[in-house]
Structure formats: structure tokens, C-alpha cells
Amino acid sequence: MATIRSLLLLLLFLLITSVSSWKKDEFRNCNQTPFCKRARSRNPRSCSLIAADVAIHNGDLTAKLVPKNGEPIEKPLILKLSVYKDGILRVRVDEDPNLGPPKKRFEVPDVVLEEFESTKLWLSRVLDEVVDGDEGMSSVVYLSSGFEAVVRRDPFEVYVRRKGGHRVLSMNSNGLFDFEQLREKKEGEDWAESFRSHTDSRPYGPQSISFDVSFYGANFVYGIPEHATALALSPTRGPDVEFSEPYRLFNLDVFEYLHDSPFGIYGSIPLMLSHGKGSGTNGFFWLNAAEMQIDVLGKGWDAEAGIALPSSQERIDTLWMSEAGIVDAFFFLGPEPKDVVQQYTSVTGRPSMPQHFATAYHQCRWNYRDEEDVENVDSKFDEFDIPYDVLWLDIDHTNGKRYFTWDRALFPHPEEMQKKLADKGRHMVTIVDPHIKRDDDYYIHKEATNNGYYVKDSSGRDYDGWCWPGSSSYLDVLNPEIRSWWADKFSLQNYVGSTPSLYIWNDMNEPSVFNGPEVTMPRDAQHHGGVEHREVHNAYGYYFHMATADGLLKRGEGNDRPFVLSRAFFPGSQRFGAIWTGDNTAEWEHLRVSVPMVLTLGLTGITFSGADVGGFFGNPDTELLVRWYQLGAYYPFFRAHAHHDTKRREPWLFGDHNTELMRDAIRTRYILLPYFYTLFREANTTGVPVMRPLWMEFPADEATFKNDEAFMVGDSILVQGIYTAGAKHASVYLPGGQSWYDMKTGVVYKGGVAHKLGVSDDSIPAFQKAGTIIPRKDRFRRSSTQMVNDPYTLVIALDSSLEAEGELYVDDGKSFEFGQGAYIHRRFSFKNGQVTSTNIAAPSSGKTFSSNCIIDRIILLGLPSGSKSALVEPGSHKLNIESGPLNLHARSSSKALTIRQPNVRIADDWTIKIL
């Protein structure tokens, strides 16, 4: 037995080693992926379908897609076109269930909100007319003010146009639509596909779908995460393109992924946005959980085919290819960047409101060894006066990789350990992955086996794959019953050793299978309802994330906001917690690419995201680590993390000077927590991300369209990263017609031009836009929880009209009572020489929230000299305006005009008039 055990451990080591770095030949390319190869080989206009029998049925426009001129077709396809509030167009194409397909094609459940479905606008009539000089008829449907949807019948095409004729978005304008219908296997046919040592039985044969989508008037397209690439997507086909592979959407566990590659990694969101100076912003979303490949087609890609679209407009063409599923596509018309994000999140859900502590700094490592190590790390943060809020434990805290357990030799008193952190206002996170150790003495495995809760292999047995515990099985979280069972495991009674201050981390949920094809589950594995894994793969981690978040919700009896970090994601993941960009590397290039990766996640609904500060793999040199902290302080999710083979890299291990630099970076985040939390509430109500590309705030400024070295935090702060070693200068483009104030010095810079600025090691360039007001908290504590009652500072950056505006949102930071009106939401404005605080909270629906917090400093940037005093109302209290530090704790802070101790409450209406 000892020999067998040793051989098994050796096999596991070899499997883990084999996936320890990115190896190109371990993953399929398009030519090795038959559905992708077939779709790419089709010529423009190869689609022969026409739309017949157009009618209105149950408030939708319906039609049958059949071949022109009686060409043979197995069965007609059913087209359904629906219109929703805000002009959202939904197009569905599926096989006719009345014609007896071998099985029902998979439609992704539990993503589209019921509230969205209720906004459907019932069509009562359709206008038939000749469009664009066509010989045949088209059907026209009103969408919203200024927009119409057109179904062109021959050849089949769907597009949206502005009234007056200019197109916005279209499907099948290049005639590349193809839909492989399910059918019975003929004698002698072999549908199996092989890759390396793995064979996919494909019991239902080819079932892929592909079509082209065109974005009119677009300068660039963005979105479709997750890839380690630039923000603006480069063409993947056409003359002189940089890439030869499509952008792949297939959730994979990729160790040490490459930067600047279209290769798909941990998550998938099939949402693409286009933006152009004259056309505004539009979006296209395909709800499909199968593997997807997307080509961005460069200009001239269709030259050999001699095709010409029925429009003279500039456009970007794209080709969308999926292995399975149905067409369930959404057209978002914007026209502004924020409008598209709001429209998309009205379909898939707004981002959840995080607990306040979760927006602060997190300290993680694989692994903090034991309780003594945890206590030492915690005390060192206090010793070096560095704030933090969350300490994380990776897989080695468990008993033999059995989740919901503790290694009692290393962590004998987990409740006491968590209580010590909680006494300082801190929290702990433990990891819980979806692979379950196949051990008959492990209660989770025993229950799952007895209840039939595992994914099955193609033969109907519980699927057995290899992951961290060795032999493992995987819960079938597509099944709502199994998700509910899993959620119950997070109760304090079931998760022995947990406390209310413990939260959860879902890793490896792509799902990762070390001995599986492409390090994932076989495509012919079987899920609930006869669904093949190929059909649901990209949503597996989403359902696991959903079930885990529901578990914490149940644990808190619906009163405690969950915090769950997930690596895999899918449309709707924003409703359940945070995402991080996975196993990055301690390289300058990975620091650089983290910005467009996080920006892209925000554009596609996932605002609570970030990259591992310092890089997960490798040992960063000190300069890189410092620069990563300085940038990471502005990520929405701010966490340092490292692989167990790396050197320890807590902030105090690099000498006094570098400790000071990293402390300052972390403190920057804590100073700005009121601003960040206000932005998280904006995301929660509108979907607009916390961290934004420059063009989202400056959509008419062409110089911002490709800029992904700088970014906006909300609408007020611009941050420029430093991405090279030894940098002495940085070129910073400051957009717009307004001025910008250096947040460190208060120096004012002109907008609309690039500035060459000197940089030092103590900070990265960050600017406050003129015309904004930022709330801060300047007192340093051990954790954000201890800052709750501290006073606020307002930084007012006046524009050329001597005006400014900003907001502050405050609630209890943990419960859901804000949904019933228990919050404070204030608008601060400076106009006509006075600062005003007004209430902008919606009327309460039963709950209230109060705070006695005050504002004890108001900093005035851009106020003309000569003002000496201010009058506070109510109370007619007169105060001096004097020179004070812009940053209280900086080593050498610049001075700014300051009103000290106005002592007005954040919850009250008041004015302060400059005299």
C-alpha cells in the first residue's frame, strides 16, 4: 500500500508540474478545433437562408429561416425577435421543438433577470417595406426614440438603424450565418474528436453556430474578456493583422498565462462594445455558455470575396463562433458608453454592493503556514503601522485538501484565531474549491455520492478527475437542488471552525482538472437534465460562485452581505462577488496588462475586480513590487497574493524606505475609501464601473480611445501607471477641456494635452479633475472598520467657472438595509462662492441610517487668492481660510487653502459661504 500511495503521489506531482506553466501545445488552436476551423473557412454570402412566414406571435416578431429557392434543409429554424425597455433588441434562433430534434438545445438559465423579462414591449404590428433599394420586402419594428429594427427577408439579415437610414448594428450582413442542426447519426458516421490523448465522443454530432456582427461608425471594439490583451481589440484576420488566432472564450486554468495574447483564460463574457467619435457606443451580447471563438476582422478581410455591404458607412466586422447552444443575442444601442453598461446590466444584473471592509486592502499568500504565522503577520502590520482588513488562507489550511475542514495540527483553534482578527475589525477568508476529494470518510463526498450530486462521465458514472486532493469529483451545480445543498454547508453549524467574520474564496472553478483535456472537464461529461458539459462549460464557475454566495447569505439569515471571490466568471457573476485576474507573473508586462484586463471586466459588468499585487508567480524586484502597490491601490479589488514557491514579500521585508513607500500606497487606498465606497454604490445602482477607461468619461476625445496605460477612478480621478524599471519621466495625457490638479502637489495642469512629467519612487501620477469634489478620511487606523466614526475631508477642485460637484454615500457597510432606505447620500456643490450639502437619497421605505460623522477639513484647490474667511450656516459660525497641508501625513506635503474644523455633519443640509 505504501508503494501504491507513493506512486499516486508521484503521478499527482507530475500532473501538477505539467500545468505549472503555459505550454502552447497543451491547448487547442482554431485549426485543432473543428467548429472554429469550419466557420473560418466559410466565404462571405455563403448563407442561403431567407426569412419566411413573418408574423407577430405573443408580442414577438417570428419567422422561419429556410433556404432560398427550395434548397434542401433538414428543418426550418425559428427566429424570434423581441423588444424591451430602453430599446434593447433580443434575437433568438433555435431549432423548432415541434419537429422532434434528438434533444433540446441548451439555453443558459438563471442569468437573465426576471425583472428584465418583465420589461418586454409587446409588439402589435410590423411594418413591411422596401429598404435600401432591395428588391424584396423587409419587416421594420420600432425600438425606441430614433431607432428601428429591420429584418431583411432575402437574404436573411437583422440590423438596427437610426431613423433616416444609418445603420448601428447588424447580424449576417456578410452572409456568414450557419447553424448546424442536431440529427441522428447515420450508419458508419464517426463523430468523435480527439486532441492529444483525449477523445470526445460527441454523441449528438456537430452542433455549432456562427454568424457575423457589424458595428457601424466604430473606431474600435472592446470587451469579450478574459484575455491578457490591450483594451482596444486588435484584428485577428485580414491583411497585416498581428494575431492569427481568434479571441477564445473558454474558461481554463492557465498557469503563468501570456500577456498580449488572444488566448482565453479563466472567465468568459461574450459582450463586445464598439465606440466611435461620430457613432457613439453600442454593444452586442450573445448569451451562450459553450466554447466561443471571435474574430475581429481587419479592413480588407473580404476583399477577395468582392462583397459590399448595403451601406457606405465605416464599420468593424466580427465573426462569432460557438460549439453549441442557441442564438440568444442582445443589441444595446447606447448611445453613450455608460448607457451600454447600464443596458447590459439591466439584463444580467447590477453588481452587488460589497461590504465596506471588502473594499479595503487584503493580504494573501499560498499559504500562511499556521496560527503562529497568521498571528505574526497580523502583528507586523500593526508594528509597521500599515492598515489592512482581510487575511487569507489558501488550500493548505485544510485537512488534506478537504474543504470545510482545518488541519488541526496547524490550525487547532480557528475560531479563536478569527476572533483575534475580528477584535481589530479585521476578517479572514478561506478557500473552498469545487473539486471534492474522493474519500469515503469525508462527509461532503459521502453525501454527494449517496445523493447523486456529481457530474457524470459519458458512461453515466461519477466523473473522476485529478486536482489538488488527488482523485476528485465535481458537483453538478447546474442543478438548483445541488446548489441549495452546497449553500447549506456554509452554516456555522456545518462549517465547523468558521465564524461570522469568515468569508470565502472560490478558486479552480473553471473547472480545473489536471488530467482532463486542456486541464478541464471532458466536453461529453453529463450534467443535470441531459446537458453536456460542452454546452455549459463557461457557466460552471458562475453557478458555483452563485451557490457559495447563497450559502453566506443563508448563514447570515439574509442580513449579511456575502463576500466571495471567484476566478471563473460568466455574465451575471457581478451579482455574487469579486473576480481577480488569476495566476499572473511578477513581471513589468503583467503589471502593464493588468490595467486593460481590469478595465475590460468593468466594461462587461464586473466592477469588483483586480490583479494579484506583486504577481502570483515569481519574485518581483523591489521596484516592481512598490510600483504594483502604487497602482493596485486604485484597483477596485486590492489584494496582494503570491505562490508558495516565492519568497515572502510582506511590505515590511524590503527595508525601511520601501516599507514606507508600500505603506503610503496602502494608506492612499484607505484615505480614498469614502470615494471608492460611493463609486461602488453607483455601480450597484447603475452598473457603471468603479475603474473606467478614459473614453468612458471623455467619449469625444479620440486620444483616449486606445489609451489603456491610464484610467479613471470614477469621474474625478485619473491614474497613470509606471510600467518600466528606472522610469524618471512619464507621458501623461490629460483629456478634456478642463484642468487637472496633481493629487500630491496640487499643481494644476491643462487638459487636452500630453504632459511629460518627472516621476520619483514615492508615487505614481494621479490627478483630480477640475470641477469635482472628493470625500476622504485622513486619519489612519488598523482597519477600515475602525475608521467608521472618523471625520471626513472634502477636496474641492474648482473648474474655470469656480464650480465643482461631488457625492458621498454612507450606509452601515454590511447589511442589506440600504435597500430599504437606510443610507446617507449627499451631493456637495461649490457654486456662487459657497459650498452646499444637499440630500439626494431616495425616500426611505421603512429603514433609516444615521451618522454623527462630521467634516473637519475642506481643501479648496483653484480658489483665487484674497479669500480670508468663511461663514457656516446654520449657526452663522465664522471660520478662517488658511494655508494647510494638502495631505496630512505626507513627508513633505504641499500647501492648499483650507477651512479647518467646520464641524458640519455629513447627514445635514448646510452651506459654507466664502467671504
Side-chain angles (χ1 to χ4, degrees):
M1 288 299 294
T3 301
I4 294 173
R5 188 178 298 111
S6 297
L7 288 172
L8 289 173
L9 289 171
L10 176 61
L11 175 60
L12 178 59
F13 172 78
L14 292 173
L15 287 166
I16 293 171
T17 302
S18 72
V19 295
S20 64
S21 62
W22 195 88
K23 297 178 181 178
K24 185 176 181 180
D25 61 354
E26 291 181 352
F27 301 98
R28 303 202 302 184
N29 60 37
C30 181
N31 281 334
Q32 295 167 318
T33 308
F35 81 86
C36 182
K37 186 176 181 180
R38 289 195 300 274
R40 267 189 153 189
S41 69
R42 295 188 185 98
N43 292 320
R45 292 180 176 171
S46 60
C47 175
S48 64
L49 297 178
I50 63 173
D53 300 338
V54 177
I56 298 294
H57 180 70
N58 289 335
D60 300 314
L61 182 152
T62 62
K64 292 182 179 179
L65 301 183
V66 298
K68 187 176 182 179
N69 301 326
E71 296 174 23
I73 186 173
E74 304 235 351
K75 298 164 185 174
L77 297 169
I78 302 300
L79 167 72
K80 183 187 293 186
L81 185 150
S82 308
V83 177
Y84 295 82
K85 183 182 175 182
D86 296 326
I88 296 173
L89 175 67
R90 186 177 191 178
V91 176
R92 282 169 281 191
V93 181
D94 196 359
E95 300 186 44
D96 189 340
N98 298 317
L99 298 181
K103 62 171 283 189
K104 185 181 185 301
R105 297 180 77 110
F106 182 61
E107 299 180 49
V108 186
D110 303 312
V111 171
V112 177
L113 298 181
E114 291 183 8
E115 304 94 288
F116 172 76
E117 298 280 14
S118 69
T119 68
K120 175 181 164 181
L121 305 178
W122 279 59
L123 303 177
S124 59
R125 66 185 182 90
V126 60
L127 177 65
D128 291 334
E129 62 179 67
V130 177
V131 176
D132 291 335
D134 288 348
E135 295 181 2
M137 300 295 291
S138 293
S139 300
V140 181
V141 172
Y142 173 82
L143 287 181
S144 66
S145 178
F147 293 98
E148 297 169 322
V150 179
V151 177
R152 189 184 185 199
R153 299 185 186 179
D154 182 8
F156 160 64
E157 179 188 13
V158 177
Y159 62 90
V160 173
R161 69 179 184 186
R162 298 179 189 275
K163 286 186 177 179
H166 287 299
R167 292 182 173 216
V168 177
L169 283 166
S170 69
M171 174 190 287
N172 203 37
S173 296
N174 292 296
L176 292 173
F177 184 92
D178 188 79
F179 194 114
E180 296 179 328
Q181 297 195 42
L182 298 169
R183 59 183 177 82
E184 301 293 341
K185 184 186 291 188
K186 297 176 182 178
E187 186 176 350
E189 278 191 296
D190 182 8
W191 285 343
E193 292 179 358
S194 296
F195 177 69
R196 293 169 67 87
S197 62
H198 302 279
T199 299
D200 173 8
S201 63
R202 294 209 309 164
Y204 298 98
Q207 52 185 294
S208 70
I209 303 169
S210 56
F211 51 81
D212 57 275
V213 175
S214 297
F215 299 85
Y216 295 81
N219 297 116
F220 297 99
V221 289
Y222 312 87
I224 58 169
E226 185 175 35
H227 310 93
T229 57
L231 178 65
L233 298 173
S234 299
T236 56
R237 284 177 64 189
D240 303 319
V241 299
E242 184 176 354
F243 298 133
S244 60
E245 285 293 307
Y247 291 97
R248 190 183 191 194
L249 295 181
F250 191 61
N251 293 8
L252 290 172
D253 177 4
V254 185
F255 282 51
E256 297 184 271
Y257 56 81
L258 297 178
H259 72 279
D260 200 22
S261 167
F263 186 80
I265 44 180
Y266 308 100
S268 299
I269 299 183
L271 168 66
M272 184 177 286
L273 297 87
S274 68
H275 184 69
K277 184 175 181 179
S279 63
T281 310
N282 311 120
F284 179 84
F285 167 48
W286 185 6
L287 178 56
N288 189 313
E291 179 182 355
M292 200 176 292
Q293 305 262 5
I294 301 172
D295 269 319
V296 177
L297 304 172
K299 288 185 178 181
W301 73 273
D302 55 355
E304 294 182 1
I307 185 174
L309 283 175
S311 170
S312 61
Q313 293 175 254
E314 286 291 315
R315 70 186 190 275
I316 294 178
D317 295 329
T318 59
L319 175 62
W320 299 60
M321 306 163 271
S322 181
E323 184 181 14
I326 68 166
V327 176
D328 190 358
F330 298 77
F331 293 60
F332 303 120
L333 307 183
E336 297 298 323
K338 294 177 184 178
D339 296 332
V340 173
V341 179
Q342 290 179 21
Q343 290 155 11
Y344 167 73
T345 56
S346 74
V347 176
T348 62
R350 307 292 195 212
S352 60
M353 186 66 191
Q355 288 208 38
H356 189 270
F357 80 82
T359 67
Y361 174 63
H362 301 245
Q363 182 67 37
C364 185
R365 180 177 178 82
W366 178 19
N367 201 77
Y368 287 118
R369 296 183 301 269
D370 50 29
E371 289 181 6
E372 182 181 0
D373 197 8
V374 167
E375 186 172 359
N376 179 63
V377 169
D378 178 67
S379 65
K380 285 291 186 182
F381 272 95
D382 294 338
E383 178 183 339
F384 287 93
D385 202 18
I386 303 172
Y388 90 101
D389 268 66
V390 192
L391 193 111
W392 293 54
L393 296 180
D394 212 315
I395 52 178
D396 292 331
H397 81 278
T398 63
N399 175 18
K401 314 300 188 296
R402 298 169 181 86
Y403 301 110
F404 303 102
T405 70
W406 302 84
D407 184 330
R408 292 289 177 168
L410 302 176
F411 297 92
H413 310 294
E415 298 100 326
E416 182 180 341
M417 174 180 63
Q418 294 162 59
K419 184 179 183 302
K420 287 179 180 178
L421 295 177
D423 287 345
K424 299 178 181 179
R426 291 169 177 157
H427 298 76
M428 177 165 276
V429 167
T430 55
I431 196 166
V432 178
D433 292 347
H435 46 260
I436 306 300
K437 184 179 179 67
R438 294 184 60 82
D439 175 358
D440 291 339
D441 293 327
Y442 178 29
Y443 74 103
I444 297 286
H445 172 67
K446 190 172 182 179
E447 287 182 38
T449 301
N450 292 341
N451 292 328
Y453 282 171
Y454 285 134
V455 175
K456 310 302 179 187
D457 64 21
S458 59
S459 68
R461 296 186 294 267
D462 287 350
Y463 175 70
D464 184 349
W466 282 74
C467 207
W468 298 125
S471 178
S472 304
S473 286
Y474 295 74
L475 296 168
D476 187 1
V477 286
L478 178 61
N479 187 337
E481 175 188 331
I482 297 173
R483 294 202 298 267
S484 179
W485 170 83
W486 180 251
D488 290 338
K489 300 306 172 190
F490 292 91
S491 71
L492 299 178
Q493 294 74 28
N494 288 332
Y495 190 172
V496 176
S498 67
T499 70
S501 64
L502 180 74
Y503 294 88
I504 303 299
W505 171 18
N506 290 161
D507 197 0
M508 316 296 286
N509 54 337
E510 292 74 28
S512 176
V513 183
F514 292 157
N515 63 335
E518 300 191 273
V519 202
T520 191
M521 189 174 286
R523 296 165 192 251
D524 56 4
Q526 297 293 312
H527 289 265
H528 173 67
V531 175
E532 289 187 283
H533 186 70
R534 82 181 75 253
E535 301 173 279
V536 73
H537 172 81
N538 284 346
Y540 182 88
Y542 165 77
Y543 293 118
F544 189 72
H545 195 189
M546 176 194 296
T548 303
D550 188 45
L552 294 187
L553 196 61
K554 284 184 175 181
R555 183 187 75 178
E557 298 180 343
N559 298 316
D560 189 57
R561 298 177 216 166
F563 173 76
V564 183
L565 178 73
S566 174
R567 189 169 69 178
F569 58 84
F570 190 69
S573 289
Q574 66 269 13
R575 307 200 305 266
F576 306 114
I579 299 295
W580 94 105
T581 61
D583 297 342
N584 58 358
T585 303
E587 298 173 353
W588 287 96
E589 292 84 358
H590 275 253
L591 170 64
R592 169 70 181 82
V593 82
S594 72
V595 172
M597 291 180 76
V598 175
L599 288 173
T600 298
L601 287 170
L603 285 175
T604 54
I606 297 179
T607 190
F608 200 8
S609 66
D612 284 343
V613 170
F616 178 66
F617 286 107
N619 296 302
D621 62 59
T622 305
E623 183 184 6
L624 173 59
L625 184 61
V626 167
R627 290 302 192 199
W628 215 317
Y629 268 100
Q630 290 169 345
L631 183 78
Y634 296 96
Y635 293 153
F637 175 60
F638 182 24
R639 182 186 75 154
H641 185 36
H643 189 274
H644 63 66
D645 287 340
T646 64
K647 299 175 183 177
R648 294 293 284 257
R649 59 168 89 145
E650 287 75 23
W652 50 85
L653 296 176
F654 299 88
D656 292 345
H657 178 64
N658 292 303
T659 296
E660 186 174 29
L661 296 178
M662 286 182 268
R663 180 196 300 120
D664 288 348
I666 295 170
R667 283 178 170 179
T668 294
R669 176 52 163 255
Y670 280 79
I671 288 171
L672 292 173
L673 280 178
Y675 180 64
F676 270 91
Y677 198 66
T678 300
L679 294 174
F680 274 107
R681 177 56 172 167
E682 181 184 0
N684 174 246
T685 55
T686 68
V688 175
V690 171
M691 182 169 156
R692 306 167 186 173
L694 300 185
W695 58 264
M696 178 170 274
E697 292 297 328
F698 304 94
D701 189 337
E702 293 181 83
T704 68
F705 292 0
K706 285 190 70 174
N707 188 331
D708 57 12
E709 291 194 348
F711 56 90
M712 297 294 297
V713 179
D715 66 355
S716 304
I717 295 177
L718 183 147
V719 179
Q720 169 71 52
I722 300 297
Y723 306 111
T724 56
K728 302 300 182 185
H729 297 89
S731 177
V732 183
Y733 179 74
L734 298 175
Q738 286 293 345
S739 299
W740 297 80
Y741 295 87
D742 187 305
M743 293 179 67
K744 176 185 173 185
T745 65
V747 172
V748 63
Y749 292 89
K750 182 181 179 180
V753 295
H755 299 268
K756 184 179 180 181
L757 303 177
V759 295
S760 59
D761 64 355
D762 62 353
S763 64
I764 60 175
F767 302 86
Q768 182 174 347
K769 186 177 70 174
T772 65
I773 300 176
I774 291 177
R776 301 190 328 204
K777 282 199 172 185
D778 290 351
R779 295 185 184 178
F780 296 139
R781 306 289 188 183
R782 290 176 171 179
S783 65
S784 68
T785 309
Q786 296 184 346
M787 298 167 63
V788 169
N789 297 315
D790 286 347
Y792 289 81
T793 295
L794 295 184
V795 182
I796 301 177
L798 297 176
D799 63 17
S800 58
S801 301
L802 299 184
E803 295 181 357
E805 188 172 271
E807 296 181 10
L808 173 65
Y809 174 85
V810 184
D811 61 23
D812 66 15
K814 54 187 178 182
S815 79
F816 288 95
E817 291 188 356
F818 68 91
Q820 300 169 277
Y823 63 88
I824 295 168
H825 195 183
R826 310 295 299 184
R827 174 171 291 126
F828 305 118
S829 62
F830 188 102
K831 190 174 183 179
N832 298 325
Q834 66 180 21
V835 189
T836 304
S837 172
T838 55
N839 177 40
I840 55 173
S844 174
S845 56
K847 297 286 186 178
T848 59
F849 174 76
S850 62
S851 171
N852 291 319
C853 284
I854 61 168
I855 294 170
D856 74 346
R857 281 206 314 153
I858 297 177
I859 296 172
L860 298 158
L861 300 176
L863 186 70
S865 59
S867 300
K868 302 297 184 182
S869 61
L871 185 67
V872 180
E873 296 287 2
S876 298
H877 182 48
K878 193 172 182 180
L879 297 171
N880 292 330
I881 298 177
E882 54 194 46
S883 179
L886 179 57
N887 299 288
L888 279 178
H889 302 281
R891 292 183 294 278
S892 57
S893 180
S894 299
K895 301 295 183 179
L897 293 178
T898 303
I899 303 172
R900 295 183 61 251
Q901 296 184 339
N903 295 339
V904 288
R905 289 178 6 124
I906 62 167
D908 294 342
D909 291 345
W910 45 260
T911 62
I912 301 176
K913 186 173 180 60
I914 307 300
L915 301 176

